[in-house]
Amino acid sequence: MTLQLHNLGFTPTQEDNQIRITQNVSSFSCSREELALSLVEQFSFFLNIIIFLYMGTIKALQWRLPLPVVVLLICTFAVMVLLYNERISLASGAIFTFKSCSKRITAAVRDGETTEDDIVNPEIDDRFEFDPNECSIAHGKWVFNSTFKPLYSDTTCPYIDRQFSCVINGRPDSDYRHWEWQPDDCILPRFSPKHALEKLRGKRLMFVGDSLQRNQWESFVCLVQSIIPDDLKSMKRGRTHSVFTAKEYNATVEFYWAPFLIVSNSDNPIIVDPKKRILKVDSVEKHAKYWVGVDILAFNTYVWWMSSLRVRALWGSFANGDDGTEELDTMVGYKIGLKTWANWVDSNINPNKTRVFFTTMSPTHTRSEDWNRKNGTKCFNETRPITKKGHWGTGSNKDMMSVVTGIVEKMKVPITMINITQLSEYRIDAHSSLYGELGGKLLTEEQKADPLHYADCIHWCLPGVPDTWNQILLAHL
């Protein structure tokens, strides 16, 4: 089995280009060898032409041709050269232009500054087609675009939990909604609701996991519902299984609650105390019966495993109580649980009928020292992303990420990894912070005055970062 670690690209639409062409600039990504070869080739070409014109002029003078005839010959040759060499730009006055190398788009940085001089139209340049072997979606930067307008807001989409409704809950700033992820060497397409619904026509898409996966599910629903008339869409919510239906497309976008993927005594109702949670590490059957027959499955599990250093694992029935449990290191339990999930997928999923995705861990930002904010209070009052390339905080566990990769690589069913961890690591500014809920209730003024204990630096405001996760998911589809 070949692990499909897809890093997205696309062929831009006309709408994408009309928006991006005014803000994007191009930068070459040629190797030194390519640049040197291009320069030598073109220098040699022009040198030969100059020698040819010089020798022709000498012979013309020896033949005592009139000066106007000599000038005419030189001009004729020059025009022929310009017409022949398509790489010369008459508009810019450039003499030497390099061969086309692999290009990447870099959007204008905040306040209208740009990093290059040329503007490229990707619609007529096939070098912008995505190649998974050349483009890594995880490597790039967030760029501010004040003209970018989200497809929805928490006041226009009726399906957002108050936990993610930051504006409704009083968040005063809005810049966090205008940052776009820009990969280094490819373009991530804007989310097209119509394109997404066409891809889902006659299909079921199900997000499976914890509240962060619900965060992404609600983002996806809000993105597509914006173009659906009220009488052609519906939502049915349940404690475990919720379904949004787009009737015209005979499509559903669903969420299934399974925070560990495997069965636990804390699935429903939730047990707050991690020490009282018991994980049935050898079973997913109770949950998996809901996954059968789904066309597109998007799984996630991470943050619930990080509640404690050790987990109580159960082999067999819950009826055995504490007698049937043993304490395991969290990493060991995580590996066993994911193997149980992987075995079920390999045994029950037909890859010709069902596509399976796994979203990598969503980072937490509970330690402001990670981004050198020694006097900060977790993610509270952060209004801009981290700009340091490759930033990695304590809220992302590389060992657990390696566990996922190691298991997925050995599976028979192809799993597409949606690698959202690195790009989300930069977004310390986009969490719910003090503008969410706690236990189903909005924070009181007393709680808001204590961000150290009450700021939610795990979940994300909507619209926000999960919209980018869904851009990546749609590009895969």
Side-chain angles (χ1 to χ4, degrees):
M1 199 284 294
T2 302
L3 174 61
Q4 299 180 10
L5 293 174
H6 293 294
N7 293 305
L8 275 292
F10 79 124
T11 302
T13 63
Q14 183 176 0
E15 180 182 359
D16 289 327
N17 294 321
Q18 289 173 345
I19 297 173
R20 289 178 180 271
I21 198 66
T22 61
Q23 67 183 32
N24 291 353
V25 293
S26 67
S27 59
F28 287 103
S29 58
C30 303
S31 66
R32 292 183 178 179
E33 291 79 11
E34 289 174 321
L35 292 173
L37 180 59
S38 178
L39 180 60
V40 169
E41 289 177 350
Q42 296 198 51
F43 182 81
S44 298
F45 177 80
F46 278 99
L47 182 60
N48 290 332
I49 292 299
I50 291 171
I51 294 174
F52 180 81
L53 292 175
Y54 176 77
M55 295 304 296
T57 302
I58 295 299
K59 290 183 178 180
L61 292 174
Q62 290 176 346
W63 295 336
R64 293 183 174 82
L65 291 177
L67 183 59
V69 175
V70 174
V71 173
L72 179 62
L73 287 173
I74 294 175
C75 291
T76 301
F77 277 121
V79 171
M80 291 175 63
V81 170
L82 290 174
L83 293 175
Y84 177 78
N85 185 14
E86 296 179 349
R87 289 171 292 185
I88 294 181
S89 173
L90 294 174
S92 64
I95 300 300
F96 293 98
T97 56
F98 298 108
K99 286 183 178 179
S100 299
C101 303
S102 175
K103 286 191 175 183
R104 58 179 179 265
I105 292 296
T106 306
V109 298
R110 194 173 184 181
D111 298 326
E113 295 178 3
T114 57
T115 56
E116 299 291 340
D117 297 326
D118 298 324
I119 295 178
V120 176
N121 186 349
E123 188 177 63
I124 58 175
D125 194 334
D126 61 6
R127 289 166 296 187
F128 289 95
E129 288 191 27
F130 173 73
D131 184 343
N133 296 319
E134 294 183 1
C135 180
S136 172
I137 205 73
H139 297 91
K141 64 181 178 181
W142 289 96
V143 292
F144 187 82
N145 180 4
S146 60
T147 65
F148 171 69
K149 183 178 180 181
L151 293 172
Y152 67 96
S153 71
D154 52 349
T155 59
T156 62
C157 181
Y159 307 118
I160 303 179
D161 289 340
R162 288 294 293 270
Q163 185 179 17
F164 315 134
S165 301
C166 297
V167 171
I168 289 179
N169 296 337
R171 179 162 181 167
D173 62 307
S174 61
D175 279 1
Y176 68 92
R177 293 179 291 180
H178 298 284
W179 292 91
E180 295 183 283
W181 179 245
Q182 199 68 220
D184 286 337
D185 47 12
C186 65
I187 305 172
L188 181 61
R190 291 230 175 113
F191 191 99
S192 167
K194 184 172 179 59
H195 179 60
L197 288 168
E198 287 295 343
K199 286 291 184 180
L200 295 180
R201 185 179 290 276
K203 293 183 172 63
R204 296 173 62 193
L205 164 61
M206 181 184 286
F207 293 88
V208 181
D210 55 24
S211 56
L212 286 162
Q213 201 72 339
R214 186 173 70 241
N215 216 173
Q216 185 177 0
W217 167 66
E218 291 184 10
S219 161
F220 198 100
V221 169
C222 288
L223 286 165
V224 297
Q225 68 86 35
S226 61
I227 66 168
I228 305 175
D230 290 341
D231 60 338
L232 293 178
K233 59 188 175 186
S234 64
M235 173 69 81
K236 182 181 179 181
R237 285 187 180 268
R239 294 184 65 183
T240 300
H241 186 202
S242 298
V243 181
F244 171 81
T245 302
K247 299 176 183 178
E248 181 182 358
Y249 294 87
N250 188 29
T252 60
V253 184
E254 308 173 31
F255 172 71
Y256 184 84
W257 172 259
F260 296 102
L261 296 186
I262 56 173
V263 176
S264 82
N265 69 340
S266 186
D267 295 332
N268 258 319
I270 294 172
I271 296 176
V272 177
D273 186 354
K275 295 180 180 179
K276 295 181 179 179
R277 295 173 182 169
I278 300 175
L279 311 183
K280 201 170 185 298
V281 292
D282 61 345
S283 176
V284 294
E285 295 302 328
K286 179 182 176 181
H287 300 320
K289 63 184 179 182
Y290 290 90
W291 309 342
V292 176
V294 178
D295 301 282
I296 305 164
L297 285 163
F299 293 97
N300 143 275
T301 184
Y302 166 64
V303 72
W304 274 54
W305 290 89
M306 302 306 295
S307 300
S308 60
L309 296 177
R310 297 181 68 80
V311 296
R312 294 174 67 192
L314 173 71
W315 308 90
S317 172
F318 281 114
N320 295 328
D322 291 345
D323 294 337
T325 67
E326 66 173 313
E327 279 200 353
L328 298 175
D329 180 83
T330 294
M331 198 69 66
V332 174
Y334 187 62
K335 189 172 185 177
I336 296 173
L338 276 185
K339 281 186 176 180
T340 299
W341 164 81
N343 289 338
W344 182 89
V345 171
D346 279 343
S347 301
N348 294 275
I349 294 297
N350 180 350
N352 294 320
K353 296 181 178 181
T354 301
R355 290 196 64 182
V356 183
F357 294 86
F358 197 99
T359 304
T360 62
M361 57 192 177
S362 173
T364 63
H365 293 106
T366 58
R367 186 176 181 273
S368 52
E369 289 85 351
D370 285 349
W371 53 93
N372 296 322
R373 187 88 70 194
K374 296 181 180 179
N375 296 323
T377 310
K378 300 200 291 187
C379 65
F380 175 63
N381 261 351
E382 296 294 347
T383 58
R384 294 177 64 87
I386 294 170
T387 57
K388 181 183 177 182
K389 276 277 190 178
H391 167 80
W392 197 274
T394 55
S396 298
N397 190 310
K398 289 186 177 181
D399 291 336
M400 296 190 78
M401 207 165 180
S402 297
V403 167
V404 176
T405 303
I407 290 174
V408 167
E409 283 178 340
K410 298 176 182 178
M411 294 176 66
K412 293 184 297 182
V413 173
I415 307 297
T416 303
M417 300 291 286
I418 304 298
N419 190 351
I420 57 100
T421 306
Q422 181 65 82
L423 65 91
S424 303
E425 267 285 5
Y426 301 119
R427 295 306 305 276
I428 56 176
D429 60 311
H431 289 288
S432 300
S433 185
L434 298 179
Y435 309 102
E437 288 184 333
L438 180 65
K441 297 180 181 180
L442 294 178
L443 298 182
T444 65
E445 292 304 317
E446 290 77 15
Q447 289 171 330
K448 289 181 179 179
D450 186 11
L452 182 63
H453 291 98
Y454 293 102
D456 180 356
C457 299
I458 297 175
H459 301 99
W460 307 90
C461 294
L462 291 180
V465 172
D467 300 336
T468 300
W469 304 349
N470 285 320
Q471 280 183 274
I472 300 172
L473 173 61
L474 177 59
H476 279 294
L477 293 177

